[in-house]
Amino acid sequence: MLEARELLGPTSGTKEQNRRKLIIEIMIKADQQSRLAQRLGISGASVSTAVADLVEEHIVEVEPGRKGSVVRLPETRGVALGIDLGFRRVAVIARPVDRPFDTVEAQIEIEGANRGFSRLLPQLESMIRAAVRSTGQELDDVVSAGLAVPRMIDPRNGRFTTPVLPPWTGTDDPAASLRELLGVRVAVDNDANLGAMAEQTYGLEKPLETVVYIKASTGVGAGIMIGDKLLRGERGMAGELGHLTIDRDGQVCLCGGRGCLDTLVGAEALTSQVRRAGRRDYRPPDNLGLLIGLAQKGDAACRRIIGDAGRTLGFALAQLCNLVNPRLVVLGGELAGAEELVLDPCRQELERYALAGTVTDPDRFELRISGLDSLAEAHGALILGLRARQQDHPGDGAPGGVVSN
């Protein structure tokens, strides 16, 4: 049996570094040689030569498939982790590096960072251990880890970008804390960014030029993939759709702005609307999941609130589409659970306010719900963690931190 830790060990020379990058991409997703070349940004001939060498050394296998031969790892010991640390929910996925991307072991809890990271850490450690054990391997077999958080991350140092918004503080460094447990570097990035990375890598038959992933839960964020690269911005603040001003005279937001999208379609904003609409004999839902459930069962107030949220989101997405002209917009996060109740009004307002050429041609634009269920961000974190192993000494800043795509 191969050992992933040895395959990802130190290298010397450009050829060995490129070979390790190829092995990492195969760990991320077994794929056809042409698509591996596209993901790596190198020629098909270079990949073909490298694959032939790896086959001869029994490091990879080429398996015939209905749509073409797929390059994969043989039996290999090693586990990759992806952790999604949300405000009110935590998801941990563990996958042996030789398994298909959709065969993960998952642990999910409905309490998140709103409890405070120091209080959450023991539970998170227990979830990680349980997920890894479910793969049949041990914590010592973990070779990579990525972390998704619902806040802005500076790509230069992997720390929270100012202003650092609740529930985090400027001293919090969850990636460094998890590195002490795992013994491997934990790469960290914004959750919407990693949702976009997962959609581009796992959610599509083949990559598209521009993909936008919308994470709509406690707040709203957008991850933007241009080809195989994430658009992060100078300080990691690209895609902060939730802080786009929609109502200049609206409520004050945590960011210090007024009338931000988060104050209109975030989970707390929506559940508070139900409470204000309630009668004395009406027990309103206290979280977004329950609100969506009631809307799907026909509750008039809840259906109206979800529909209005879709319309407001569609107006905001129209501005985004006018700026970046995406081929695909994917809705994820808890609000995506409302499916057509939110998607239909969202699509109506998007078509009303966006430039017609950006959204009306079904062959050039699509708006849909994520096909990765509630694990898109965790899948993206797993990808990020593996790609952090592309360099012998990844990152110049904190022990945690984002890495190049």
Side-chain angles (χ1 to χ4, degrees):
M1 180 186 295
L2 297 176
E3 291 286 342
R5 200 172 297 278
E6 294 178 4
L7 295 177
L8 300 178
T11 59
S12 60
T14 301
K15 182 177 180 180
E16 285 192 14
Q17 290 175 354
N18 289 337
R19 168 175 151 143
R20 181 172 59 183
K21 289 179 181 180
L22 174 58
I23 291 170
I24 287 170
E25 286 303 316
I26 296 168
M27 289 179 176
I28 289 169
K29 183 184 179 183
D31 216 336
Q32 298 173 25
Q33 292 188 31
S34 60
R35 291 180 185 163
L36 289 169
Q38 186 175 10
R39 283 156 54 190
L40 285 163
I42 61 177
S43 71
S46 297
V47 169
S48 179
T49 300
V51 168
D53 290 343
L54 292 171
V55 168
E56 187 173 340
E57 296 174 40
H58 305 289
I59 292 175
V60 302
E61 300 172 342
V62 178
E63 182 178 287
R66 183 169 53 87
K67 298 182 179 180
S69 297
V70 172
V71 184
R72 64 176 69 256
L73 290 178
E75 189 175 7
T76 304
R77 189 167 192 84
V79 175
L81 283 176
I83 303 161
D84 176 23
L85 183 53
F87 285 111
R88 294 184 172 84
R89 176 183 173 276
V90 177
V92 175
I93 62 172
R95 174 170 63 81
V97 296
D98 58 355
R99 302 283 178 81
F101 75 87
D102 54 355
T103 57
V104 299
E105 298 295 336
Q107 294 282 316
I108 299 174
E109 293 290 343
I110 59 172
E111 290 185 314
N114 59 320
R115 289 178 54 192
F117 182 69
S118 60
R119 293 179 59 192
L120 180 65
L121 188 56
Q123 174 183 306
L124 185 55
E125 291 181 1
S126 177
M127 294 172 66
I128 290 171
R129 292 180 187 276
V132 173
R133 280 197 303 268
S134 295
T135 68
Q137 300 188 46
E138 303 297 331
L139 205 60
D140 288 344
D141 296 312
V142 172
V143 295
S144 68
L147 174 65
V149 293
R151 282 297 181 232
M152 302 167 288
I153 297 294
D154 191 325
R156 297 170 300 180
N157 58 24
R159 301 296 298 272
F160 291 108
T161 298
T162 54
V164 181
L165 303 180
W168 305 103
T169 69
T171 61
D172 284 329
D173 191 352
S177 298
L178 290 172
R179 180 182 184 178
E180 293 180 11
L181 167 70
L182 299 170
V184 297
R185 177 174 182 252
V186 178
V188 60
D189 202 353
N190 172 266
D191 55 359
N193 284 349
L194 296 181
M197 185 182 288
E199 288 292 340
Q200 180 73 291
T201 307
Y202 296 150
L204 299 169
E205 183 68 22
K206 58 182 179 179
L208 298 174
E209 180 184 356
T210 311
V211 174
V212 173
Y213 176 82
I214 304 298
K215 167 76 179 292
S217 293
T218 302
V220 183
I224 304 170
M225 289 289 293
I226 309 294
D228 64 342
K229 301 294 183 184
L230 270 171
L231 178 63
R232 291 190 174 100
E234 175 66 19
R235 298 192 61 217
M237 302 175 80
E240 285 298 313
L241 191 68
H243 299 292
L244 181 70
T245 300
I246 302 298
D247 180 2
R248 293 177 59 185
D249 299 315
Q251 295 183 25
V252 174
C253 178
L254 283 173
C255 73
R258 186 179 287 278
C260 294
L261 181 64
D262 276 3
T263 68
L264 298 170
V265 303
E268 178 57 35
L270 299 181
T271 54
S272 66
Q273 288 184 51
V274 188
R275 289 194 291 271
R276 290 196 298 270
R279 307 177 301 275
R280 184 174 299 177
D281 60 342
Y282 180 78
R283 185 177 179 181
D286 59 4
N287 62 64
L288 182 54
L290 292 175
L291 192 161
I292 291 171
L294 288 172
Q296 291 171 331
K297 291 178 181 178
D299 183 287
C302 292
R303 287 179 71 90
R304 176 57 185 263
I305 288 166
I306 293 297
D308 285 350
R311 280 182 277 276
T312 303
L313 182 60
F315 174 78
L317 288 180
Q319 320 312 312
L320 180 63
C321 288
N322 286 349
L323 288 172
V324 301
N325 189 196
R327 171 63 179 82
L328 172 67
V329 176
V330 180
L331 179 60
E334 199 170 7
L335 189 59
E339 298 179 338
E340 298 306 317
L341 290 181
V342 69
L343 206 62
D344 284 347
C346 180
R347 186 177 288 110
Q348 290 169 9
E349 295 302 280
L350 181 57
E351 293 178 355
R352 180 180 180 186
Y353 289 104
L355 285 168
T358 65
V359 298
T360 54
D361 183 348
D363 294 325
R364 306 292 294 276
F365 176 78
E366 182 184 4
L367 171 68
R368 63 167 173 81
I369 300 293
S370 174
L372 297 176
D373 299 322
S374 61
L375 295 176
E377 297 81 7
H379 278 294
L382 186 148
I383 295 169
L384 185 75
L386 279 168
R387 287 186 176 154
R389 298 298 307 264
Q390 288 179 346
Q391 303 166 348
D392 288 327
H393 304 287
D396 298 319
V402 296
V403 294
S404 64
N405 302 293

